[in-house]
Amino acid sequence: MKRVLVISSGGGHWQQARLLHPALPKETTFVRASGFKSDIPDCSLRTIWRVPRCFVRSLMLIKRVRPDVVLSTGALPGLIGIIAGRLLGAKVVWIDSVANAQKLSLSGRAARYICRDVFSQWPKVAQQTGARYAGSVL
């Protein structure tokens, strides 16, 4: 059985990540980035100074959980987790938020260069960007 680590930001990204729960193995660990005490601190382009701390905490988390797969539904903390997972030998998967109906998110565009698989929840966006479409989690 593969161990999966799902990392996402709060809000809609987190809700979409949790909707994946029935499709994932029992050995799945869910981590939400937040400004509160959590495994992964939240960060964004507006709080770019938090990125190094987010990266170090992501590395520590991945070393502790030792996932076979790191998956993210979005935002910068998820991308950082994907990068850390890739550096530590995990397979990495990105599922872009359903909110991105016109184009891949900035993090999703970066994830295309890092991830084994990048999914869009919109067929047109997948077709335009080379991402994969396998349905929507909502």
Side-chain angles (χ1 to χ4, degrees), residues 75-95:
L76 187 54
L79 179 63
I80 291 168
I82 292 284
I83 294 167
R86 179 75 185 261
L87 288 173
L88 294 175
K91 293 177 183 168
V92 292
V93 178
W94 181 270
I95 301 173

Side-chain angles (χ1 to χ4, degrees), residues 41-53:
D42 201 5
C43 60
S44 69
L45 290 177
R46 290 186 203 123
T47 58
I48 201 79
W49 63 89
R50 294 182 185 162
V51 168
R53 185 169 179 239

Side-chain angles (χ1 to χ4, degrees), residues 18-137:
R18 296 298 296 168
L19 289 171
L20 294 169
H21 189 266
L24 297 171
K26 268 188 159 177
E27 294 288 322
T28 299
T29 302
F30 286 84
V31 175
R32 178 180 64 180
S34 73
F36 301 105
K37 187 174 181 164
S38 67
D39 287 319
I40 304 290
D42 201 5
C43 60
S44 69
L45 290 177
R46 290 186 203 123
T47 58
I48 201 79
W49 63 89
R50 294 182 185 162
V51 168
R53 185 169 179 239
C54 183
F55 181 70
V56 169
R57 296 284 293 275
S58 294
L59 284 171
M60 291 169 41
L61 174 68
I62 291 166
K63 283 183 178 181
R64 186 176 77 232
V65 174
R66 296 181 333 197
D68 300 300
V69 178
V70 177
L71 182 146
S72 181
T73 54
L76 187 54
L79 179 63
I80 291 168
I82 292 284
I83 294 167
R86 179 75 185 261
L87 288 173
L88 294 175
K91 293 177 183 168
V92 292
V93 178
W94 181 270
I95 301 173
D96 214 42
S97 173
V98 74
N100 299 309
Q102 302 300 319
K103 62 182 181 178
L104 284 177
S105 65
L106 179 59
S107 293
R109 291 191 301 267
R112 287 187 306 181
Y113 300 102
I114 301 161
C115 291
R116 175 182 181 182
D117 291 306
V118 173
F119 292 90
S120 172
Q121 297 185 58
W122 297 95
K124 183 179 176 184
V125 174
Q127 183 180 20
Q128 291 172 345
T129 63
R132 294 175 62 188
Y133 174 76
S136 174
V137 297

